[in-house]
Amino acid sequence: MIRFRAMSLFSEVAELALEIDSYELTALDRTFESGFTRPSTLITLNGGGKSGRGEDVVYDDLDHIAHRDVGPVHDLSGPRTLGEFCELIGGLDLFADAPPIRDYSRRYRRWAYESAALDLALWQAGRPLYEVLGRSLQPLNFVCSVRANPAEEGDTEHVLEPIASRLSKYPGTRFKLDPQPDWSDEVIDWLLASGAVDSLDLKGCYKDTPVDVEASPEFYERFATAFPEAWLEDPEINEETKPVLERYRERVTWDAPIHSVADIEALTWKPRIVNVKPSRVGGLEDLSEAYEYCEREGIGAYGGGQTELSVGRDQIQYLAAMMHPDTPNDVAPGGYNESSVADGLPTSPLELRPGAAGFGLAD
């Protein structure tokens, strides 16, 4: 069952008083055991003896380097409402130091500044977000997004090791997986027997990236029929694949193409559920509009992560726990992203403790 908890985020917080004295940019970049380097920049807004934080999760390291090298160049100081600050940010070129490598990165950076401003305004008001909205944080269902190892002929154990290792430590873990055309029947049978697959990310909406998966009707038919209960995320719809996907349209959902209400409206079929990533949508007002549109149209929502390294992960968990706690939220605690998964990680459903004030979780 899809349960969606609507809220008018922006209208409830837009009149919060906000005063900024200065801001800082701090590098958070981290290289994982797998060799993947995640660039990230912490945005800290300071004012009235308080600080608010947001995380810039733009994917290209050159964008981060240019931003941090130039430093705080915009005059954000002064008293205003949070709504006025969001209007100010919307009129600034946050990539004035150098154009972004990918244009959609502008939305990611805007989210970093506006989420930091929301955090600061709430700290200055001495109130947590859930209280201002009259909501509560419910136990948060999450799935673990993990890539299987590259296929080796006849070596099912090797392919499944990242999934099996997590299940051995945390037997109730649910997964969002990236299926590959070369997976053997043995791999699929093992996964079916585990009963742990919630969704399949078909990666059909990515082009010229390391995670692209070539679309074909045979590929989609094979996995749609093999996993009859799984969501089918981000297929490529073309003349060849559309007839196959039409039969499974009730399970087709979307992530990568969703930046706005207009993107949801432009989908081939009205979805039952979509991934609403705050950083991908961008501003607080646009995020509010996306949530409200989904509620009005009877469309469910689930959260998604961007390998956040700091407050960004806390904030998307916070929103998911208020908005759509029961759906397959791809917002697992960061420890699940490690190559070697540690003992003692929290399990789903996740009990969150909000901070005494602000837009974040208790330390």
Side-chain angles (χ1 to χ4, degrees):
M1 174 181 176
I2 298 171
R3 180 156 70 93
F4 181 84
R5 307 189 65 214
M7 68 178 184
S8 178
L9 174 67
F10 193 71
S11 64
E12 296 293 335
V13 301
E15 297 305 314
L16 287 170
L18 174 68
E19 183 158 2
I20 298 174
D21 300 326
S22 64
Y23 70 99
E24 306 162 22
L25 310 176
T26 306
L28 299 174
D29 307 355
R30 182 186 168 196
T31 299
F32 289 84
E33 292 178 23
S34 64
F36 167 65
T37 296
R38 198 343 163 183
S40 173
T41 299
L42 183 69
I43 312 292
T44 304
L45 305 181
N46 305 303
K50 305 292 184 180
S51 295
R53 299 181 298 165
E55 185 175 352
D56 182 0
V57 291
V58 170
Y59 275 96
D60 296 287
D61 56 357
L62 293 179
D63 288 339
H64 287 275
I65 292 168
H67 191 203
R68 296 189 299 237
D69 281 353
V70 173
V73 297
H74 298 292
D75 183 8
L76 306 181
S77 62
R80 54 177 63 88
T81 66
L82 178 63
E84 290 168 341
F85 176 84
C86 293
E87 184 176 359
L88 170 67
I89 285 293
L92 295 176
D93 183 358
L94 299 177
F95 287 82
D97 36 279
I101 293 173
R102 307 166 208 270
D103 193 61
Y104 59 70
S105 295
R106 295 184 184 278
R107 294 179 181 268
Y108 291 16
R109 186 160 294 171
R110 181 168 183 174
W111 169 252
Y113 278 90
E114 292 196 17
S115 59
L118 174 61
D119 190 30
L120 177 57
L122 289 164
W123 275 108
Q124 290 175 342
R127 301 177 68 189
L129 179 59
Y130 76 89
E131 179 183 281
V132 172
L133 297 173
R135 302 279 169 174
S136 61
L137 273 64
Q138 299 295 314
L140 176 60
N141 179 69
F142 68 81
V143 298
C144 180
S145 180
V146 61
R147 292 179 65 83
N149 285 326
E152 293 183 358
E153 186 175 355
D155 192 353
T156 301
E157 183 176 344
H158 166 79
V159 175
L160 293 168
E161 191 281 330
I163 302 153
S165 63
R166 285 158 175 78
L167 281 175
S168 66
K169 287 191 175 183
Y170 305 104
T173 302
R174 309 288 299 174
F175 290 90
K176 173 182 173 181
L177 301 179
D178 300 352
Q180 302 297 312
D182 59 5
W183 280 3
S184 67
D185 291 342
E186 288 76 19
V187 167
I188 292 175
D189 290 343
W190 189 97
L191 290 170
L192 282 171
S194 76
V197 180
D198 266 12
S199 58
L200 300 172
D201 186 351
L202 300 173
K203 298 293 186 187
C205 296
Y206 293 92
K207 299 299 175 188
D208 301 320
T209 75
V211 299
D212 290 6
V213 177
E214 185 176 353
S216 75
E218 295 79 16
F219 173 48
Y220 290 167
E221 181 71 50
R222 183 187 185 206
F223 282 92
T225 55
F227 296 89
E229 303 298 323
W231 295 105
L232 306 173
E233 186 181 84
D234 283 356
E236 178 184 346
I237 298 181
N238 56 41
E239 290 184 0
E240 292 184 334
T241 63
K242 187 175 181 180
V244 171
L245 294 167
E246 179 79 48
R247 297 197 291 273
Y248 307 104
R249 58 185 290 181
E250 289 297 305
R251 292 194 281 135
V252 172
T253 182
W254 307 96
D255 173 11
I258 305 303
H259 302 85
S260 65
V261 168
D263 289 336
I264 302 174
E265 292 177 325
L267 295 172
T268 303
W269 305 297
K270 180 178 179 180
R272 288 178 58 206
I273 190 170
V274 291
N275 190 332
V276 179
K277 285 183 177 173
S279 56
R280 186 171 277 152
V281 174
L284 288 171
E285 186 170 16
D286 288 343
L287 177 63
S288 180
E289 289 176 357
Y291 284 143
E292 290 164 1
Y293 173 84
C294 288
E295 191 275 337
R296 187 170 63 251
E297 295 295 318
I299 299 171
Y302 60 104
Q306 306 264 32
T307 319
E308 296 85 0
L309 302 179
S310 181
V311 296
R313 179 60 52 139
D314 290 352
Q315 290 169 349
I316 63 173
Q317 289 178 343
Y318 198 120
L319 287 172
M322 286 195 301
M323 293 295 299
H324 35 76
D326 300 334
T327 56
N329 295 291
D330 183 12
V331 296
Y336 285 92
N337 293 329
E338 304 292 340
S339 297
S340 301
V341 182
D343 295 328
L345 293 177
T347 57
S348 181
L350 186 62
E351 298 282 351
L352 300 176
R353 291 195 308 119
F359 175 27
L361 303 177
D363 294 332

